[in-house]
Amino acid sequence: MKDKIKDKAIHWVACKKEGLTFEQEKEFEIWLKEDEEHQKAFEEANLVYSIFQNIPKNHTQTLSKNALKEAKKIKFIEKTVKPFIEMVAILCGLFIGYKFFIPEYEKDYKTQFSSLKQEILPDGSKLSIDTKSNLQIEYFKDKRKVFLENGQVLFEVAKDKSRPFIISSGKTSIEVVGTKFEVKNLEHITTVSVEEGVVKVSFNNHTLLPNQDISLLKKGEKIVISDLGKITYLGKTDIEEIAPWRNDELIFRKITLKEAFDTFSRYQDLKVEFQNKNFENKLFSGKFNTLEIDKFLFAIQKIYPIKIVKSENKITVN
């Protein structure tokens, strides 16, 4: 019974797109008011058509061919009036598969200053979200997708071979089935560090072209790649240095003083001014609590001939 209602709804959507006669309009109104299920089926079929209309043309051609091929197996299409048969066939095919375009689950996360967040997703995957991070999650029937706009997240992905877990960070794509890894998206640079399992990293400089596979990262490996596709590091990393912020720690390994101050500024309300720009690129290594800015200031003054003036949340380096 439900299939017949669905078929009729598809028929009416196709007819309305082609234009109804006065008699057809009356017949449609009667059918629509007969049952609440008719209204629901028509709205769903209309939604499918709207989705199809919003897909880029280069994709709709392929989708139309596939949908037409599948839909012609459906018996009621044989009885459809010839001028409408292609549209009805496409709608039927899309109706069968449109739920692959509609998220089963979606949620946005945005952490504020000095705020860490732990989340468990519907499939059991776990997220540790660092302060000042912004991401969107969408689960579909055939895949799980995350869009990391900025920030740092540690992912512990539940295994599901039928639905790969895909993260988009800038123009970098990270795909896994089940593993544990950190993704950073800071200043248009994506860093992927693997704590457990294997992660596939790819890059896409053009939305209409396939992703270009870059590397398969294993446990204890890291890649750093810019939104322009430039790889600045690909190699080993210390497991201890993966997402230390989850334990309120910061580990610096030969980073610039500017980068170190920027990192502290994620966890404290700091305004830093380098009066002598030469010191911005001086390198530093060390391990600190996220709130140990005074300890950090003491350490860098012991290493470099610099003077630091701190007044409330403002730090001047000269």
Side-chain angles (χ1 to χ4, degrees), residues 87-137:
M87 182 181 288
V88 172
I90 289 171
L91 280 169
C92 283
L94 291 172
F95 203 99
I96 293 167
Y98 90 98
K99 289 183 179 177
F100 287 94
F101 297 96
I102 304 293
E104 297 178 324
Y105 170 83
E106 55 185 328
K107 190 167 183 179
D108 293 352
Y109 293 98
K110 189 171 185 178
T111 53
Q112 302 300 322
F113 169 75
S114 191
S115 171
L116 302 180
K117 197 174 186 67
Q118 306 288 331
E119 287 292 329
I120 299 178
L121 301 179
D123 64 339
S125 295
K126 298 176 183 177
L127 305 183
S128 296
I129 307 170
D130 191 21
T131 183
K132 292 186 178 179
S133 297
N134 188 1
L135 64 153
Q136 295 83 45
I137 296 173

Side-chain angles (χ1 to χ4, degrees), residues 191-194 217-218 220-224 233-237:
T191 303
V192 184
S193 306
V194 182
L217 299 180
K218 299 176 183 177
E221 293 182 337
K222 177 173 82 171
I223 188 171
V224 181
Y233 182 82
L234 175 58
K236 299 290 184 181
T237 189

Side-chain angles (χ1 to χ4, degrees), residues 77-194:
I77 290 177
E78 297 172 2
K79 302 174 184 178
T80 305
V81 182
K82 279 189 176 181
F84 304 149
I85 191 166
E86 185 171 350
M87 182 181 288
V88 172
I90 289 171
L91 280 169
C92 283
L94 291 172
F95 203 99
I96 293 167
Y98 90 98
K99 289 183 179 177
F100 287 94
F101 297 96
I102 304 293
E104 297 178 324
Y105 170 83
E106 55 185 328
K107 190 167 183 179
D108 293 352
Y109 293 98
K110 189 171 185 178
T111 53
Q112 302 300 322
F113 169 75
S114 191
S115 171
L116 302 180
K117 197 174 186 67
Q118 306 288 331
E119 287 292 329
I120 299 178
L121 301 179
D123 64 339
S125 295
K126 298 176 183 177
L127 305 183
S128 296
I129 307 170
D130 191 21
T131 183
K132 292 186 178 179
S133 297
N134 188 1
L135 64 153
Q136 295 83 45
I137 296 173
E138 295 179 347
Y139 276 21
F140 299 85
K141 281 189 174 293
D142 61 338
K143 58 183 172 285
R144 299 167 287 176
K145 296 203 72 174
V146 177
F147 301 91
L148 179 59
E149 291 190 9
N150 57 71
Q152 306 180 132
V153 182
L154 180 71
F155 296 90
E156 190 170 350
V157 179
K159 289 185 179 180
D160 186 347
K161 291 184 179 179
S162 65
R163 291 198 301 173
F165 197 97
I166 304 166
I167 300 154
S168 295
S169 173
K171 293 181 179 178
T172 300
S173 178
I174 304 101
E175 182 175 336
V176 301
V177 172
T179 185
K180 191 174 183 179
F181 58 101
E182 179 192 27
V183 180
K184 300 180 188 178
N185 184 352
L186 302 172
E187 302 294 331
H188 305 291
I189 294 175
T190 293
T191 303
V192 184
S193 306
V194 182

Side-chain angles (χ1 to χ4, degrees), residues 172-288:
T172 300
S173 178
I174 304 101
E175 182 175 336
V176 301
V177 172
T179 185
K180 191 174 183 179
F181 58 101
E182 179 192 27
V183 180
K184 300 180 188 178
N185 184 352
L186 302 172
E187 302 294 331
H188 305 291
I189 294 175
T190 293
T191 303
V192 184
S193 306
V194 182
E195 189 169 306
E196 295 175 8
V198 179
V199 172
K200 182 173 80 171
V201 180
S202 55
F203 184 79
N204 191 343
N205 198 33
H206 197 295
T207 55
L208 299 180
L209 296 177
N211 286 357
Q212 176 187 352
D213 291 346
I214 295 174
S215 179
L216 273 178
L217 299 180
K218 299 176 183 177
K219 179 179 178 180
E221 293 182 337
K222 177 173 82 171
I223 188 171
V224 181
I225 181 170
S226 74
D227 279 354
L228 296 176
K230 182 180 179 181
I231 299 173
T232 56
Y233 182 82
L234 175 58
K236 299 290 184 181
T237 189
D238 192 330
I239 296 292
E240 183 191 21
E241 296 180 19
I242 298 176
W245 44 264
R246 61 185 138 163
N247 299 315
D248 297 321
E249 291 182 343
L250 301 176
I251 300 175
F252 302 139
R253 290 284 180 263
K254 294 182 179 180
I255 69 170
T256 67
L257 290 184
K258 184 180 185 307
E259 289 172 327
F261 274 113
D262 287 345
T263 302
F264 269 108
S265 295
R266 292 181 60 81
Y267 308 95
Q268 300 183 53
D269 183 16
L270 299 175
K271 294 179 181 178
V272 181
E273 179 186 356
F274 282 86
Q275 291 188 345
N276 185 338
K277 298 297 182 182
N278 292 328
F279 286 120
E280 286 188 354
N281 295 317
K282 295 293 184 182
L283 299 181
F284 180 81
S285 297
K287 182 177 179 180
F288 302 90

